[in-house]
Amino acid sequence: MQNNNIISHSPEQLAQIGNFKAEVTLNSPGRVNLIGEHTDYNNGFVMPTAIDKSIIFYLKKNKSQTQCSVTSLNFQSTYEFDLSKPDETGEEWTRYITGVTEEIKKRGRSLSGFDCLMFSNLPMGAGISSSAALECGLAAGLNELFDLKLTPLEIVELSQKAEHNYVGTMCGIMDQFASVMSKENHVIQLDCESLDYKLVPFNIEPYALLLLNTNVSHSLSTSEYNVRRNECEQGVKLLQNWYPEVKALRDVEPEQLEAHKNDFDPVIYNRCSYVIEENQRVNEAAKALERNDLETFGKLMYGSHEGLQHKYEVSCKELDFLTDFSRNYDAILGCRMMGGGFGGCTINLIHQDFVEAYIALAKKAYYEAFNINLTAFKAMPADGGKVI
Ligand code: GLA
């Protein structure tokens, strides 16, 4: 199993960081989501938290007005750019950076030349939102470095917009919200319409959260994500014929959808049905967590996976395999795919005494089935992004 939140730099990296002389050092975490998938952009409910895996940013001003550089220590690659000539055509990771600086400028804040080093122990493409960690970390780091006086919520919102406008994923707000607003040992119960949220203590001992990374990331993830969002909007438009007050699927009762089932294209019906049921599951899961009823919580996780697999159709054979495999063991109360889908991790609610044995079993079975190595790590709820 990988170590938890140990950012271990090589001696060369340590020397590079030492010579750099950062003015601001900031930790920006990834996130897990316990339940409530693809509900955020439907104004619904989610239950994420930041985790103890993150990107560290080292930032300093340079003497230039507009010249900047961002270096990934993991890849030893540097992106140099000019704040006055935003390049929206570069590699994907550079577009997150352009997105953040441009969205900051749109909010009337002025930036000048800066240099940044970053180092990550967040696996990419694993569905634990390395992208939100990147956007929110850079935004929060620049906020600190240039004293921009952006509120945490502004950092969340501008980071989401960076992804919409410069990367092209029409993501909801969950990932950025979790990366910025989380608190150690808590999960967030977030209403994505009002942005009201509750930090709920998360004491699940003797259980633990185990992430199993399929190490696949199917190329459909961005295109199909936007398609799903569009299908949900089509469903809302149709429902507005009978229920003009409906603004998003979050406002729809299951009976309202049922009453018009025959008016729906079956695919759109399934998408809507999944979202409406998933919102109900999140609310039931919140109650189960309050009474420490982890068995019910686990069943709801399995229900979520079934919906994502069959109705929302964002799972893949590797995720389905791991979810089915977990059902063989009573020590696992729940399991489901996590994040946008088409690869990434499953999240497992598992008895802590069974973790190591289960990882060995799952690795073996997964390798036999797909010839791919599974990676595993425990996720601990952690604080949102902060200066260190
Ligand atoms: C991605 C998006 C989120 C959310 C999840 C699915 O992680 O960035 O906004 O929609 O997928 O729940």
Side-chain angles (χ1 to χ4, degrees):
M1 189 164 47
Q2 294 171 5
N3 282 330
N4 276 332
N5 208 30
I6 299 193
I7 301 254
S8 46
H9 292 297
S10 67
E12 293 77 25
Q13 289 171 350
L14 282 176
Q16 207 174 340
I17 293 163
N19 291 335
F20 184 79
K21 298 198 175 32
E23 290 170 60
V24 171
T25 303
L26 186 128
N27 183 65
S28 182
R31 63 100 189 90
V32 292
N33 183 26
L34 272 67
I35 193 159
E37 221 62 89
H38 288 273
T39 45
D40 59 353
Y41 54 83
N42 288 299
N43 283 0
F45 304 99
V46 291
M47 207 186 283
T49 171
I51 53 168
D52 52 346
K53 296 231 172 282
S54 53
I55 306 178
I56 300 215
F57 288 81
Y58 305 90
L59 288 140
K60 67 176 180 199
K61 291 180 203 150
N62 62 31
K63 304 233 151 42
S64 151
Q65 275 312 299
T66 58
Q67 286 302 318
C68 302
S69 74
V70 177
T71 298
S72 156
L73 291 170
N74 301 74
F75 301 113
Q76 282 300 332
S77 90
T78 298
Y79 172 47
E80 289 180 344
F81 60 101
D82 186 321
L83 283 169
S84 63
K85 295 183 202 121
D87 170 17
E88 296 171 24
T89 58
E91 281 177 59
E92 186 166 292
W93 75 279
T94 68
R95 282 187 272 136
Y96 288 100
I97 292 163
T98 308
V100 168
T101 53
E102 286 304 293
E103 290 296 333
I104 288 178
K105 281 161 41 189
K106 282 187 199 165
R107 281 158 183 76
R109 308 305 207 277
S110 58
L111 297 171
S112 62
F114 67 87
D115 297 319
C116 170
L117 299 180
M118 51 184 197
F119 184 75
S120 170
N121 70 353
L122 265 177
M124 288 187 316
I128 51 179
S129 217
S130 52
S131 47
L134 172 57
E135 298 144 7
C136 297
L138 183 63
L142 295 175
N143 189 38
E144 209 55 42
L145 188 66
F146 293 105
D147 195 20
L148 303 176
K149 303 202 168 18
L150 293 163
T151 64
L153 196 57
E154 283 176 301
I155 290 173
V156 168
E157 288 174 340
L158 82 83
S159 298
Q160 182 197 24
K161 286 282 177 260
E163 194 150 335
H164 287 187
N165 297 333
Y166 296 86
V167 184
T169 308
M170 297 306 291
C171 61
I173 202 156
M174 166 172 77
D175 300 351
Q176 292 80 7
F177 200 95
S179 181
V180 173
M181 311 295 260
S182 293
K183 189 167 163 218
E184 197 179 4
N185 299 326
H186 288 70
V187 290
I188 300 179
Q189 284 173 13
L190 173 65
D191 176 335
C192 296
E193 183 179 53
S194 62
L195 298 186
D196 286 344
Y197 69 102
K198 225 163 67 174
L199 288 164
V200 182
F202 192 64
N203 307 314
I204 56 165
E205 279 191 11
Y207 285 84
L209 293 179
L210 173 69
L211 297 189
L212 294 183
N213 188 352
T214 59
N215 286 316
V216 297
S217 174
H218 296 295
S219 58
L220 289 171
S221 54
T222 302
S223 56
E224 286 297 306
Y225 186 92
N226 291 346
V227 168
R228 290 298 172 281
R229 191 168 175 148
N230 186 272
E231 288 166 341
C232 292
E233 283 162 12
Q234 286 180 45
V236 168
K237 270 218 179 89
L238 191 59
L239 286 160
Q240 283 170 340
N241 289 323
W242 305 284
Y243 314 108
E245 70 285 1
V246 164
K247 290 196 293 300
L249 288 177
R250 127 63 168 288
D251 307 317
V252 182
E253 296 299 329
E255 304 72 44
Q256 294 179 312
L257 180 69
E258 266 336 283
H260 297 283
K261 183 170 181 179
N262 295 335
D263 300 301
F264 271 78
D265 169 290
V267 170
I268 306 288
Y269 169 83
N270 275 338
R271 307 300 192 235
C272 296
S273 164
Y274 162 75
V275 171
I276 295 166
E277 286 172 358
E278 181 76 348
N279 274 325
Q280 289 182 318
R281 277 189 288 265
V282 182
N283 289 327
E284 281 172 44
K287 286 186 206 136
L289 196 59
E290 250 164 51
R291 47 175 206 274
N292 212 17
D293 177 358
L294 295 182
E295 294 212 350
T296 300
F297 197 98
K299 287 191 185 126
L300 292 163
M301 289 172 77
Y302 279 125
S304 171
H305 185 84
E306 273 159 36
L308 289 159
Q309 179 180 358
H310 299 296
K311 290 190 172 178
Y312 216 63
E313 296 182 283
V314 290
S315 187
C316 61
K317 58 185 189 309
E318 294 87 352
L319 290 164
D320 295 339
F321 176 88
L322 288 175
T323 307
D324 287 344
F325 190 70
S326 75
R327 291 178 197 271
N328 297 323
Y329 303 97
D330 291 342
I332 300 174
L333 298 182
C335 170
R336 60 181 204 84
M337 57 148 277
M338 193 181 71
F342 302 104
C345 291
T346 58
I347 180 167
N348 299 264
L349 181 57
I350 178 171
H351 197 287
Q352 62 198 16
D353 294 348
F354 187 52
V355 169
E356 294 299 334
Y358 183 61
I359 291 172
L361 289 163
K363 273 192 169 176
K364 183 165 179 289
Y366 187 72
Y367 191 80
E368 279 167 12
F370 299 106
N371 228 4
I372 303 173
N373 285 316
L374 187 72
T375 40
F377 52 94
K378 264 167 126 177
M380 301 298 288
D383 281 335
K386 60 180 180 194
V387 172
I388 49 176

